[in-house]
Amino acid sequence: MTSASEQVVVIGAGVAGLAAASQLAAHGLGVTVLEARPTIGGCCGTTDLGGYRLNDGAQFIMLPQLVGLVLEHLGIDPARLPLHRARTPLQTVLAGGTQVHLHADRRVEVLAGRIDAGKAQAEIERMLLRWQPLLKVLAGDDWLLKPIHPLDAARRMGPHLPLFTRSLQSELEGLFSDPALRGVMAGHLLFAGAPARRFPAPSILALVSVLADGLFVPEGGMGSLPQVLAGSVRARGGTITPGAPVDRIIRKPGGGFSVHTESGGPLDCRWVISTASPYTSLGRLLQEARLPLSWQHRLARPRLSMKVLSVQLGLRGAVGTLSHLNHHLPSPESMESYFAPEPGAVDWVYASVPSLVAPGLAPAGSSVVELYPAIPQAEPTEAWTAYRREHLAEAAIEWLRAREPFEVVVRRVRSPQDFESELGLSGGGIYGVDPSAGFTALFPQRTPIEGLYLAGQSCFPGFGVPMAAISGIRAANLILKERARG
Ligand SMILES: Cc1cc2nc3c(=O)[nH]c(=O)nc-3n(C[C@H](O)[C@H](O)[C@H](O)COP(=O)(O)OP(=O)(O)OC[C@H]3O[C@@H](n4cnc5c(N)ncnc54)[C@H](O)[C@@H]3O)c2cc1C
């Protein structure tokens, strides 16, 4: 058995915690992953219900090259995670009648409205030409995984710095001449949770990567990635304990920690990586430790990402009018109303059909549909009573029924309050720290408490399945470096 001086406790078995644990176990450290929920995967997990497999959070993988990078870095054969590319189009319907499909081969199809398809196609190609080189720099190498020398960063990023000077809004205005097409493009970026004027121009890379590299769902669903990572942790001698919510991290005199769970006895270790929200990790779990004022201020004023109401349906039969990802949005001029819709009304909806990409998620010939009606963002999670949640879910189901005949076989509804209590998402913010607050709002892996590291979507490089996994590997690499120093 590894001595306590070589032990690491990882809090949370999402992709960040499991990637960290795999990396540490590969280097011979004793690793115990403690997970509050009865299952692993966190926001990248899945739940089986009545023959349907529902996503617990993430619905698709963007930037597949980064998933490849993570697996390669961890020494995991990528063949263990076959990915299905979404071939079906992205669909956008704007108030006022515009309806556009963006196909996986980058083709624009205008089904309704006055957008000139030829011109739109040329403008999309121009966007790709302008932004793909930066995407290659950011996602095409392993620099996110290790500290980079400032001179090297300057050499790589220097030629692209002019792209950073404007907002996403003005970038979209410069690229797309037709306001309706601009609305379609902005609509595909609303998933980040704020209007385009609040993001810097490089946020457009999320759209560029979808068109250039595609959207993917792993064979067996999103939960296959944490399963593959967990397999590597166990194969390397690490332990994963679900159903073990950590309630205290106590610093021991002389160094190291004692990590307490609600159910089992304390675990002694030299290092802790917490992938629970930093607000939970440092604000609630860590005991008897004084943080510098700058950290106290930061923890006291959380800037959190968007909240959602999720209505997941297992339907008998196939859906005909929906594509893989579907946005039903306000007109381009009033796009911001997406974030402050009429309470109780279902006017704007994001709907996805994961079973179109991975048919195995539903019984043969059936479908899984996820509905995300736009909800007011400026509300505390407590505003989401069960009555309100069910009322809006019914309205969302009626919204879909007006477009499709269907029979519901299984149904799961989660409000921001449920995301907070079930997945530990502080304030219900589904991506942790607000992405529009920029990289500097993200937490570093290293905390002011020696031996305590943070990882997960609120830490650099940020939210999204591959990014969260990378943050875990970064935390593990810092521990490996510290261990090498003795
Ligand atoms: C609704 C939704 C949709 C999303 N859509 C996408 C998408 O399509 N594509 C994409 O790339 N990303 C998407 N994301 C974001 C993505 O899922 C996350 O960025 C990523 O999965 C975060 O991984 P993580 O390991 O950092 O955190 P988590 O997955 O949150 O893992 C943290 C784990 O820690 C556990 N935990 C918390 N507190 C404790 C404690 N006290 N003791 C023990 N365990 C604890 C939690 O139970 C959880 O399992 C989505 C997220 C949500 C919620």
Side-chain angles (χ1 to χ4, degrees):
M1 194 175 149
T2 324
S3 73
S5 65
E6 290 281 280
Q7 286 288 344
V8 189
V9 168
V10 176
I11 302 174
V15 286
L18 293 169
S22 173
Q23 173 74 338
L24 293 165
H27 288 80
L29 285 164
V31 186
T32 305
V33 183
L34 299 173
E35 166 55 49
R37 303 181 75 215
T39 53
I40 67 160
C43 295
C44 189
T46 46
T47 297
D48 290 341
L49 211 59
Y52 293 80
R53 181 162 291 177
L54 306 179
N55 293 314
D56 292 337
Q59 300 140 29
F60 53 78
I61 286 178
M62 266 173 16
L63 296 167
Q65 58 275 50
L66 289 183
V67 175
L69 181 71
V70 165
L71 297 181
E72 187 191 325
H73 196 80
L74 296 175
I76 299 172
D77 181 358
R80 298 193 54 202
L81 191 77
L83 298 177
H84 293 283
R85 181 170 183 163
R87 300 243 160 254
T88 42
L90 304 159
Q91 178 180 204
T92 307
V93 179
L94 295 180
T98 298
Q99 187 178 0
V100 173
H101 279 184
L102 288 178
H103 291 267
D105 62 3
R106 289 139 70 141
R107 197 163 44 85
V108 187
E109 190 183 357
V110 180
L111 285 103
R114 284 202 286 270
I115 293 176
D116 175 335
K119 198 167 174 198
Q121 194 74 57
E123 289 177 346
I124 285 178
E125 294 304 326
R126 195 156 66 88
M127 170 184 77
L128 293 172
L129 269 180
R130 180 170 157 82
W131 285 95
Q132 262 182 295
L134 177 61
L135 184 62
K136 285 208 173 89
V137 171
L138 293 176
D141 199 353
D142 65 351
W143 72 275
L144 285 175
L145 284 170
K146 43 192 187 196
I148 184 168
H149 191 279
L151 281 178
D152 190 21
R155 185 182 56 76
R156 289 167 191 237
M157 298 300 290
H160 307 285
L161 287 181
L163 290 173
F164 284 74
T165 50
R166 40 186 4 191
S167 72
L168 176 58
Q169 175 80 30
S170 67
E171 179 64 15
L172 290 171
E173 282 166 8
L175 283 169
F176 301 108
S177 49
D178 186 323
L181 180 62
R182 222 179 290 146
V184 169
M185 296 301 171
H188 286 302
L189 294 163
L190 290 181
F191 75 91
R197 68 182 163 77
R198 282 199 21 214
F199 283 98
S203 312
I204 204 169
L205 290 175
L207 181 58
V208 172
S209 85
V210 168
L211 290 169
D213 305 319
L215 288 178
F216 296 80
V217 178
E219 175 88 37
M222 294 302 290
S224 297
L225 174 58
Q227 289 298 343
V228 165
L229 295 174
S232 83
V233 174
R234 294 191 186 104
R236 292 162 178 174
T239 308
I240 302 168
T241 311
V246 170
D247 62 2
R248 271 171 302 154
I249 308 169
I250 297 175
R251 289 173 89 188
K252 295 204 319 184
F257 299 90
S258 177
V259 178
H260 295 243
T261 59
E262 282 170 17
S263 41
L267 280 177
D268 289 342
C269 58
R270 177 167 168 197
W271 294 284
V272 173
I273 297 180
S274 181
T275 69
S277 148
Y279 306 103
T280 303
S281 308
L282 299 178
R284 185 166 66 77
L285 302 183
L286 181 67
Q287 313 275 305
E288 298 153 31
R290 202 165 164 74
L291 292 166
L293 269 181
S294 59
W295 280 72
Q296 291 180 32
H297 284 312
R298 194 169 181 179
L299 293 167
R301 293 182 190 74
R303 291 191 65 173
L304 295 172
S305 55
M306 79 185 297
K307 304 182 201 72
V308 294
L309 179 85
S310 163
V311 183
Q312 296 177 302
L313 305 172
L315 304 181
R316 203 180 307 285
V319 283
T321 65
L322 294 179
S323 308
H324 174 52
L325 304 182
N326 306 268
H327 299 274
H328 285 249
L329 301 172
S331 64
E333 307 75 52
S334 51
M335 199 59 88
E336 298 207 6
S337 61
Y338 186 81
F339 298 103
E342 285 295 310
V346 174
D347 294 322
W348 324 123
V349 176
Y350 161 68
S352 81
V353 190
S355 54
L356 278 176
V357 187
L361 301 180
S366 303
S367 320
V368 175
V369 175
E370 300 194 12
L371 300 172
Y372 291 87
I375 59 168
Q377 294 294 308
E379 281 181 337
T381 51
E382 304 82 67
W384 283 95
T385 58
Y387 171 79
R388 186 171 169 210
R389 177 188 68 199
E390 295 307 315
H391 184 76
L392 198 60
E394 279 310 315
I397 293 170
E398 283 315 307
W399 175 92
L400 182 59
R401 213 179 281 290
R403 288 157 180 82
E404 302 260 348
F406 60 79
E407 184 190 338
V408 177
V409 183
V410 298
R411 167 190 192 278
R412 177 169 72 164
V413 182
R414 288 169 302 159
S415 73
Q417 192 169 127
D418 302 315
F419 279 105
E420 184 168 54
S421 62
E422 289 172 19
L423 282 167
L425 295 169
S426 290
I430 62 168
Y431 306 132
V433 166
D434 178 359
S436 72
F439 277 134
T440 51
L442 290 168
F443 285 80
Q445 275 78 31
R446 198 188 292 282
T447 72
I449 307 295
E450 197 187 327
L452 174 62
Y453 293 86
L454 297 175
Q457 61 178 357
S458 291
C459 300
F460 182 83
F463 84 94
V465 167
M467 298 291 212
I470 286 172
S471 81
I473 297 176
R474 287 172 66 91
N477 285 346
L478 288 171
I479 289 180
L480 293 174
K481 224 167 149 187
E482 207 182 297
R483 177 213 208 188
R485 281 200 302 265

